[in-house]
Amino acid sequence: MAGNGKIRSDVKPGLEVDIVLKQDQRTGKTTRGIVKDLLTNSPQHPHGIKVRLQDGQVGRVQNIIGPVSL
């Protein structure tokens, strides 16, 4: 269930994803976390769907890792 995070219907709360935080956009450094909220309303976005992670960090999805492994 890997995806690139540019299509909103692919991104769901509870998925593990890699995001790029606003301050990391120049370097492209990614942060991994679990999606809490989807912040992009459009069906797709060229730079990735904006999400809030469970720890409160906000960024655009670069990779969908998949369902959280327990």
Side-chain angles (χ1 to χ4, degrees):
M1 155 89 206
N4 62 8
K6 292 180 173 36
I7 299 176
R8 191 177 193 275
S9 60
D10 290 348
V11 182
K12 303 215 174 355
L15 283 180
E16 188 173 18
V17 295
D18 287 335
I19 65 167
V20 172
L21 302 172
K22 182 77 172 169
Q23 66 264 29
D24 294 331
Q25 283 177 349
R26 278 203 190 99
T27 62
K29 175 180 170 285
T30 60
T31 303
R32 186 162 290 186
I34 310 301
V35 176
K36 180 180 178 190
D37 301 308
L38 276 66
L39 304 177
T40 298
N41 289 322
S42 60
Q44 56 201 38
H45 192 285
H47 299 123
I49 300 301
K50 189 180 273 187
V51 298
R52 179 180 295 115
L53 300 181
Q54 286 182 344
D55 63 6
Q57 297 185 96
V58 173
R60 293 197 181 274
V61 177
Q62 298 302 299
N63 289 304
I64 297 171
I65 308 307
V68 179
S69 48
L70 300 175

